[in-house]
Amino acid sequence: MSNIPKLIQGTLLFLLGQILVWYQVNGQFLSEWIKERPLVMSLMGVPVSFVYIYATQYLVEAFNGDLWPQRLIGFSTGMFAFAFLTFIHLNQAITLKTAVTLALATAIVVIQIIWK
């Protein structure tokens, strides 16, 4: 990996995309307004797609054209976003099983970044 700014940009965009998707699909459990308007929420998919497209572009550039690292970083950011937002909004605790899974997600990211 040769481009740290692209790594940071791509990772932050994936995190943003994962957060937006969490609200898009789980907002129905937070708000009756959202629950009653699935069409409106599905339209969020267009801007979210752009976020993911650019996140992928930046991370593939950061990893010199390799596609796998971006997929695994995207997965891991999704794990963290989901755990955090589910805990904050729905009061679902991070159990030992979830904590171990998050540790594994962290290991996945670290492996992608440091392993040549």
Side-chain angles (χ1 to χ4, degrees):
M1 191 202 35
S2 63
N3 194 327
I4 300 297
K6 294 280 186 181
L7 171 68
I8 293 168
Q9 287 174 312
T11 302
L12 290 175
L13 282 174
F14 261 121
L15 185 58
L16 173 63
Q18 297 288 3
I19 289 168
L20 293 173
V21 166
W22 191 94
Y23 285 107
Q24 181 185 22
V25 299
N26 297 306
Q28 63 185 316
F29 306 116
L30 304 175
S31 162
E32 281 300 314
W33 187 93
I34 292 172
K35 186 176 184 174
E36 295 169 358
R37 291 165 179 80
L39 180 61
V40 172
M41 296 310 292
S42 68
L43 294 175
M44 279 181 59
V46 174
V48 169
S49 294
F50 281 103
V51 170
Y52 283 131
I53 288 167
Y54 286 109
T56 299
Q57 176 185 345
Y58 292 144
L59 285 174
V60 169
E61 289 174 11
F63 286 95
N64 301 315
D66 288 342
L67 200 58
W68 272 106
Q70 69 77 31
R71 178 62 191 109
L72 296 168
I73 290 171
F75 163 77
S76 296
T77 58
M79 294 293 296
F80 281 99
F82 186 89
F84 179 75
L85 292 170
T86 302
F87 174 73
I88 295 298
H89 289 296
L90 300 175
N91 298 318
Q92 293 187 14
I94 295 176
T95 63
L96 179 59
K97 179 172 70 171
T98 302
V100 169
T101 304
L102 293 173
L104 291 170
T106 301
I108 288 170
V109 172
V110 169
I111 288 168
Q112 291 304 309
I113 292 171
I114 65 171
W115 193 325
K116 303 288 181 210

